[in-house]
Amino acid sequence: MSNEGQVFAAAVDSEIAKFRALQDELKNLQNDLSIVLGQETENEMVMMELDLLAEPAGVFKLLGPILVPQDLDESKQTVQKRLEFIRGEKERLQKKISQIEHSGEELAKNISGMQANLQRTTVEAVRAIAAEHGRQ
């Protein structure tokens, strides 16, 4: 392979390495999203349980090894704020995943084109070498 071909092959390898890095980042973000979705579900269930309670019901908060009484409305507000935060985090992760997926698609198209050009260049080089040997 000519020096030009080696440079082109190195460029393709570099793009493939970028694509793999994007895939790793995407996998990590999807794992994070899975955790956030679990937290959202858990907190939604807690909110439903709190909604079932009547006002004089006792609600307790675990602080270290101690259960501390907490007002029902305060408990609902705390869970609601937690849900708002979790939903914001979920939205952020979903946007980031979408961006990375789009970048990955563009990079994959670029790699595919580069590989096709590399193959075409290789075939042309082989033909040129064969033609050169045929003249001798």
Side-chain angles (χ1 to χ4, degrees):
M1 193 183 299
S2 69
N3 188 25
E4 180 182 326
Q6 290 173 341
V7 169
F8 201 62
V12 170
D13 289 343
S14 172
E15 292 298 301
I16 290 172
K18 289 178 190 175
F19 184 74
R20 287 185 180 139
L22 272 179
Q23 286 179 320
D24 288 343
E25 185 178 356
L26 181 61
K27 186 176 100 175
N28 290 337
L29 287 171
Q30 288 170 335
N31 286 339
D32 291 348
L33 180 60
S34 176
I35 290 168
V36 168
L37 290 173
Q39 291 173 339
E40 181 183 33
T41 301
E42 181 180 328
N43 280 279
E44 285 173 344
M45 291 173 64
V46 169
M47 184 58 88
M48 286 189 294
E49 289 178 14
L50 289 174
D51 287 340
L52 293 174
L53 294 176
E55 187 57 48
V59 177
F60 294 89
K61 179 178 184 178
L62 184 63
L63 291 175
I66 302 169
L67 284 175
V68 178
Q70 190 174 20
D71 181 55
L72 180 59
D73 288 334
E74 184 181 342
S75 296
K76 286 181 180 181
Q77 287 175 356
T78 301
V79 174
Q80 187 60 42
K81 286 179 186 176
R82 198 175 315 136
L83 275 169
E84 289 171 10
F85 173 79
I86 289 169
R87 288 179 179 142
E89 185 68 10
K90 179 177 82 170
E91 187 176 316
R92 183 191 70 78
L93 287 169
Q94 288 171 331
K95 285 180 183 177
K96 185 74 173 168
I97 287 170
S98 178
Q99 290 171 349
I100 289 177
E101 285 174 341
H102 179 72
S103 296
E105 290 168 5
E106 294 297 318
L107 196 52
K109 288 177 189 176
N110 187 30
I111 290 169
S112 180
M114 291 175 76
Q115 287 175 329
N117 287 337
L118 181 60
Q119 286 177 335
R120 193 172 23 261
T121 303
T122 302
V123 168
E124 290 170 2
V126 168
R127 285 183 182 153
I129 292 171
E132 185 68 30
H133 286 301
R135 288 187 216 158
Q136 292 177 354

